[in-house]
Amino acid sequence: MRVTVIGTGYLGATHAACMAELGHEVLGLDVDPDRIAALAAGRLPFYEPGLDELITTHVASGRLRFTTSYAEVAAFGEIHFSCVGTPQQPGSQAADLRYVEAVVESLAPHLDRPTLVVGKSTVPVGTAARLARRLAGLAPVGAQARLAWNPEFLREGFAVEDTLRPDRLVFGLADTGGPAEELLRRVYAPVLDAGVPLVSTDFPTAELVKTAANAFLATKISFINAMAEVCEASGADVTLLSQALAHDARIGGRFLAAGLGFGGGCLPKDIRAFAARAEEIGAGPALGFLREVDAINLRRRDRTVGLARELAGGSLAGRRIAVWGAAFKPNSDDIRDSPALDVAARLHREGADVTVYDPQALDNARKAHPVLGFAASAVDAATGADLVLHLTEWAEFRAVDPAELARVVARPCVVDGRNALDADAWRAAGWTYRALGRP
């Protein structure tokens, strides 16, 4: 099929490359000509494992192309995927829908035949129905422009796998079983043939699936971090508590690791927008707990800075601190709402001399926090340090030999903000080891 993807950020670039991998001819659109030029040359403007190879392969084959022209997109595609961002509004908890609305405004006037536009962005419930009316009103008579909603469930670091082999597909439709569903089934035929479950539903339910999923994951993470606070107050060990809870099949162990908490461009802003939308539609009390979920998550950053201050003898002024991690999670260069960088910046504001290392996110971190120091390796960052903070769970950091590292630091003190290092090994190598939720 001939598929277009509007918006070539993280979601759009991934979706475009994976649509080509499924065998479709794909035309990607972005309003940023520099981004389009980079993608057309096979260069990915962000890090995602396996995606650059996929884009390079399909650009070279001619199956994947890019443009800045809505007219070209309208003439090319049988189905148009809208993959633009929905950031948090400045000064508000609500989602900013200007980019989603701009897609409809820009594309609709160029449509000249029966067309399906498919939203993939995370939006407040009620958005799809409104956009469907707007699309139909702006498209020329006879275009028969229809809208569907197909929410994404990508995990950064696993985006290609999550697109080609997702846990489920969700189709939000004005008319289940109609032409729009048939077209989406054709697009995703290889995925459905592989046995991936499909939920075909109405617009509001499809919109709620993504926001509800993110709310649940955020709640589970904050729950175990709340237990970490209780463990710190009582002398218990949250890692062993997590292990015990994980054996209960009703609870499970995924997303039950206590630590510095979540960040990134999705979970924080999505749960805030979800709570804000609930207030707008009169269901605010139902999601009141999400505000505490958010607060628990942010408190973990406060606690990490507090641990660093404690190990520094009460004051961070003049202390040399190595921060391992800048990305909000491993296998990504995304620093949006990064807990690691937030902590690093707070340490700097308290007078510490902070040096950051991350395997992929250094360039982004330098641009966002030029006052911090940066190193070319984990060992370089730690050389001469009074304190090492492990804040992003890269495998590279777990592989560091604590005995070797002890030879280059000024003081062998470490804060394990992700509860991922081998505490016994670090202590045996002479380190003072502290972690969140552990004695």
Side-chain angles (χ1 to χ4, degrees):
M1 297 177 64
R2 304 185 82 182
V3 173
T4 77
V5 176
I6 301 170
T8 59
Y10 182 81
L11 168 60
T14 302
H15 193 66
C18 289
M19 288 292 102
E21 180 72 4
L22 292 177
H24 304 300
E25 292 182 64
V26 183
L27 181 62
L29 178 145
D30 203 288
V31 297
D32 182 348
D34 292 336
R35 173 167 287 186
I36 288 300
L39 289 168
R43 298 194 307 273
L44 195 62
F46 53 85
Y47 175 73
E48 175 62 32
L51 184 56
D52 51 352
E53 294 94 335
L54 214 57
I55 287 180
T56 299
T57 296
H58 293 301
V59 166
S61 73
R63 188 177 286 170
L64 175 60
R65 297 189 298 108
F66 297 95
T67 183
T68 58
S69 169
Y70 271 98
E72 185 180 359
V73 160
F76 175 88
E78 301 174 62
I79 182 169
H80 308 284
F81 285 95
S82 173
C83 297
V84 294
T86 53
Q88 189 172 322
Q89 288 183 19
S92 170
Q93 300 284 307
D96 186 345
L97 299 178
R98 75 179 77 177
Y99 306 110
V100 174
E101 292 164 350
V103 169
V104 171
E105 302 272 343
S106 301
L107 178 63
H110 296 286
L111 301 175
D112 60 2
R113 62 185 188 276
T115 304
L116 181 63
V117 178
V118 184
K120 290 195 68 67
S121 309
T122 303
V123 295
V125 63
T127 302
R130 179 171 57 80
L131 290 178
R133 293 190 295 270
R134 185 67 174 152
L135 177 65
L138 289 174
V141 176
Q144 298 179 35
R146 301 185 305 276
L147 186 83
W149 217 261
N150 170 220
E152 57 87 10
F153 302 101
L154 303 188
R155 298 167 297 160
E156 292 197 35
F158 303 91
V160 172
E161 175 74 15
D162 288 345
T163 303
L164 297 176
R165 288 167 286 276
D167 292 330
R168 75 289 206 193
L169 288 171
V170 176
F171 297 164
L173 305 157
D175 179 20
T176 57
E181 181 173 339
E182 177 58 31
L183 199 57
L184 280 168
R185 284 179 176 271
R186 285 176 56 201
V187 170
Y188 285 109
V191 177
L192 293 170
D193 289 346
V196 171
L198 168 64
V199 177
S200 183
T201 185
D202 52 75
F203 284 154
T205 305
E207 291 166 319
L208 285 172
V209 170
K210 177 60 186 295
T211 50
N214 278 353
F216 186 86
L217 296 178
T219 300
K220 193 171 184 181
I221 295 168
S222 282
F223 169 81
I224 199 60
N225 282 331
M227 294 303 100
E229 294 184 14
V230 176
C231 286
E232 289 171 0
S234 63
D237 188 326
V238 75
T239 62
L240 298 178
L241 176 62
S242 296
Q243 289 177 28
L245 292 173
H247 287 295
D248 188 327
R250 298 168 300 174
I251 298 172
R254 296 186 67 188
F255 294 90
L256 205 64
L260 186 51
F262 57 81
C266 289
L267 284 190
K269 64 100 176 173
D270 284 355
I271 64 170
R272 293 164 191 161
F274 196 14
R277 181 57 175 157
E279 291 285 353
E280 292 172 355
I281 63 176
L287 296 185
F289 72 94
L290 287 181
R291 304 194 189 283
E292 183 58 26
V293 165
D294 199 9
I296 292 168
N297 187 57
L298 294 176
R299 284 204 300 271
R300 293 291 79 193
R301 305 179 189 190
D302 298 336
R303 177 56 179 152
T304 301
V305 173
L307 271 178
R309 192 185 301 114
E310 181 183 323
L311 287 174
S315 173
L316 292 165
R319 295 292 189 176
R320 297 189 63 182
I321 299 180
V323 169
W324 285 356
F328 85 94
K329 64 177 289 186
N331 299 316
S332 173
D333 65 351
D334 192 344
I335 62 166
R336 290 176 294 175
D337 199 7
S338 165
L341 272 184
D342 185 29
V343 168
R346 294 189 195 193
L347 298 173
H348 172 78
R349 288 196 294 270
E350 292 197 24
D353 178 7
V354 181
T355 302
V356 178
Y357 169 70
D358 188 283
Q360 291 294 336
L362 283 185
D363 288 345
N364 291 337
R366 281 192 185 97
K367 293 173 186 175
H369 296 276
V371 297
L372 299 177
F374 297 92
S377 72
V379 173
D380 287 348
T383 299
D386 298 301
L387 178 61
V388 175
L389 270 67
H390 171 236
L391 303 183
T392 306
E393 194 181 341
W394 287 92
E396 176 179 332
F397 300 147
R398 295 195 299 275
V400 170
D401 183 341
E404 292 292 328
L405 194 70
R407 296 189 177 99
V408 303
V409 297
R411 297 172 63 241
C413 295
V414 62
V415 173
D416 185 1
R418 293 297 178 181
N419 279 307
L421 303 178
D422 185 334
D424 291 339
W426 283 75
R427 285 171 173 148
W431 287 76
T432 299
Y433 174 95
R434 296 293 300 276
L436 299 172
R438 303 176 76 176

